Amino acid sequence: MKFTDTAEIYVKAGRGGNGALSFRREKFVPKGGPDGGDGGKGGDVIIEAVGGIVTLADFEYDRRFQAGHAGHGSGAMRTGSNGEDLVIHVPCGTLIRESGDEKILADLTEPGQRYVAAHGGKGGRGNSHFASSSRRAPKFAEKGDPGEERNLSLELKLIADVGLAGFPNAGKSSILSAISGAKPKVAGYPFTTLTPNLGVLAVDDEKVVIADLPGLIEGAHEGKGLGLQFLRHVERTRILLHVIDLSQPDPVGTFKALINEFKEYGAGLDSRPCMVIGNKIDIEGTEKNSELLRSEAERLSLPYMSVSAVFGINIPELIKAVADLVRKTPVKVPEINQAEIIELPRRKISGRNSREPVKIIRQSDGSFRVEHDNFEKSVARINFEHEDALQKFAQLLKALNVEEALEAAGARKGDKVYIGDVEFDFEPDTVT
C-alpha cells in the first residue's frame, strides 16, 4: 500500500428532518388539535482513530464524505428518524485541521478516540409546538437545519517509541530487522526506504514500537529530499537511535550533519534522549572510524555502540541497551489529546437583554442583505409552503426591528432584500 501522510477531505453532515403540519383526525373529534411531530436530527460525520492503519492513502481518491439525512416528522406526534452517523477511520497519530488554518482541531493518538468533524442539522419542530391560547390551530411547522460542512486537512505523524534516524544506506532497515520481528525490504543502495517500516520489540510486559523512517539528506529541515515528510514522524518518538555507516570516510562529520538537521528543524528533536550506533563494524578498516565516533558521542555524553546488523554482532547488547533507555524515558503526553467541542450559547431573538441589532449590507446591484446569525437560522427554518408561514416571518422581522433597520440603510418599497437564501420585495407598510 502506498504510504501517504497528508490528505484533504470534505465532510458534510446530514440535514435535519422537517417538522410535520398535522391535526388530529379522530371519530367524534371534529376539531382535533395540532399533532405534528418533530423532524429527526441529521447524522454526524465522525473521525475515529483505529489500530492497524498506518497511512492516509485511502483518502487520495475518496475525499468527499456525507452523513445520512434525517426523516421528517409525522402526525400523532411521531418524530422522524435520526440520520445515520458516518464514521471515518484514520490511523492513530492523525492531526485534524481546518483547511488553510494551522490551528489543530484534534490530535487522535489512541485507538477509539473520536472527533465530531461535522454536526448533523437539528430537526424542525412540528406544529404542535406552536399552539397557544390565541392560536389553537397553527398551520405552520419548521424545516430542519442543514448539516455542517467543512474542508479538513489530515496529517499523520507516526506514533513510535523508538525512531531509527540516519542518512541513506546507513543500515537502519537491517538493524530494525535484527532487533525486532519486522521484515523490511533491504537493498544495498541509497534511498531503499521511502516509506516508514515498523517493528515491535518486547520489553518485559511492554511492546516497544520501532520505526525505521525514510532516510534524510542534508537540508531536510528546509524540505529537501523527503525532508519535512521524514522529520514530521520523528516528532512522535520517545527516543532516537542515530545510525551511522562506519564504512563511510567521515562518520563523525556525518553524525554532526545529522544532529544539525534535528537542531534546525526544532520541535525539541535535538534534545530528545538518544543513542549513537555505528553500523557495519564487520567491514575491514572500520575500527578506527568506530573509535572516532565513540569519542564524539562520549564528548556529547551520549551512549555509543558499534554493531553489524548483517552478521548480528553486538545485536543482543543493543537490544538490552535500547530496552533500558526506553524504561528510563516516560511516554510523552501530547499537548492536544482529543478535540474539545465547545458549544456556543444560543441567543434568543426575543427579550430586551438578549437581542442584538441586525446588520444591513447594501449590495452593488442596489439590493440589501440582512445579516444576523440566529435570525438567519430562524428564517431558514420557515416552510413558506405552509399557510401561516408569512405571519411567522412577519413576527420575526418585527422582533428584531428589521423594517426600521432597512429604512435607515436607505431601503425603499420594492427593493430586493435577502436573508440567507430567502428573497423578498421590501414592503414596509405591510409589516405590522
Side-chain angles (χ1 to χ4, degrees), residues 198-225:
L198 298 178
V200 178
L201 175 64
V203 177
D204 300 330
D205 294 331
E206 182 183 4
K207 290 185 177 180
V208 177
V209 178
I210 305 173
D212 163 26
L213 299 160
L216 74 165
I217 62 174
E218 289 190 68
H221 67 277
E222 299 173 343
K224 295 180 180 179

Side-chain angles (χ1 to χ4, degrees), residues 231-248:
L231 294 167
R232 176 188 299 129
H233 300 296
V234 179
E235 288 186 40
R236 298 282 196 185
T237 58
R238 291 161 63 182
I239 65 173
L240 293 174
L241 304 181
H242 297 299
V243 182
I244 306 299
D245 181 1
L246 294 176
S247 68
Q248 297 298 310

